[in-house]
Amino acid sequence: QNSRLLSTGAVKPVFRYLSAWFCPFAHRATLALEHHADRVGYEWVEALGWTRKETQEGERADEWYYHWKSEELVLHNPSALVPTLIDHKGRSVYESLVCVDFVDSISGATGMDRLVSEDAVEAARCRVWADKVNRECCSPYYGVLVKTDKNEQKASFQALLTGLRAFSKELEKTAGPTFLANAQLSNTDLSILPWAYRYYVFEKYRGSEFVIPRDDTSLSAYTEWYDHVMALPQVVRTLPDKERYLEH
């Protein structure tokens, strides 16, 4: 069944949702789908991951796993990446921030329920900042974890803190605690949220000097934002188990 009637009589669209539980990019789309869970339906399909294989003689431990992508993902996304949404006609939508805006646009939501503001200027500001936090608060996450040189790790962490401070300063421009005023969740919030949740991994893999400081006054608005969004029911439902994520 590809759709069902809402209480208003409108048809609720339902998608096959090609995702991966651990992927922060897919997490963005999951957040949008859960935010509009009463308006948009989806069938989760785990389509990308790491699978343990039989150990061959002479292989290192890091060769015990191989990366796999489902045939459906390869068929419907030229990059074979999650998230990918497939409608009942077999048409696909992909790229995480595109998926967020797409889900919001077809949801039929209005006013404060929208993830893209109905105010054109605010919608433009959100799109600018969704891209800005993607570059400055999400990308450095990988530099901290992937780079092997300690100084390069520290440089990535400092770049991340600079991005967070800029985001925090922008948060102060409205009544908050979200990016838009009056606690309206937006695509900007969803752009950074999956990474903000995952920053906790720094302490385990890089030590206490890589912990985001909660007592830094230049991050006060960010800290308030973090505490607020992580407690929202539609967000809580999407958060991967921390221990499972660390093991992954």
Side-chain angles (χ1 to χ4, degrees), residues 22-25 137-160 194-212 242 245-248:
F22 58 85
C23 178
F25 292 98
C137 302
C138 305
S139 294
Y141 170 90
Y142 300 101
V144 174
L145 294 176
V146 175
K147 292 179 179 179
T148 56
D149 181 83
K150 190 72 171 180
N151 290 329
E152 291 182 351
Q153 293 168 3
K154 289 181 178 179
S156 292
F157 186 65
Q158 289 304 314
L160 171 58
W195 282 264
Y197 174 72
R198 289 163 172 80
Y199 291 156
Y200 74 92
V201 306
F202 292 158
E203 184 172 17
K204 177 177 176 62
Y205 293 111
R206 295 292 178 251
S208 58
E209 61 187 305
F210 289 86
V211 174
I212 307 296
K242 288 188 173 182
Y245 188 73
L246 285 174
E247 290 174 3
H248 170 78

Side-chain angles (χ1 to χ4, degrees), residues 34-47:
E34 283 300 311
H35 179 74
H36 289 307
D38 292 338
R39 305 178 182 93
V40 181
Y42 65 96
E43 175 189 359
W44 181 294
V45 180
E46 197 71 13

Side-chain angles (χ1 to χ4, degrees), residues 53-119:
K53 65 180 180 180
E54 292 185 11
T55 309
Q56 303 297 318
E57 184 177 354
E59 283 187 325
R60 301 191 310 270
D62 61 0
E63 294 175 329
W64 293 355
Y65 292 82
Y66 69 93
H67 191 235
W68 64 270
K69 298 180 179 183
S70 73
E71 292 183 4
E72 188 175 20
L73 181 61
V74 173
L75 175 64
H76 287 279
N77 184 326
S79 299
L81 295 174
V82 294
T84 297
L85 292 163
I86 306 171
D87 72 3
H88 68 284
K89 295 181 179 179
R91 298 176 299 179
S92 57
V93 176
Y94 40 86
E95 299 296 334
S96 60
L97 291 175
V98 172
C99 286
V100 170
D101 288 2
F102 170 74
V103 169
D104 191 60
S105 69
I106 64 166
S107 69
T110 58
M112 295 287 290
D113 290 332
R114 288 292 307 272
L115 292 170
V116 177
S117 175
E118 293 177 331
D119 181 311

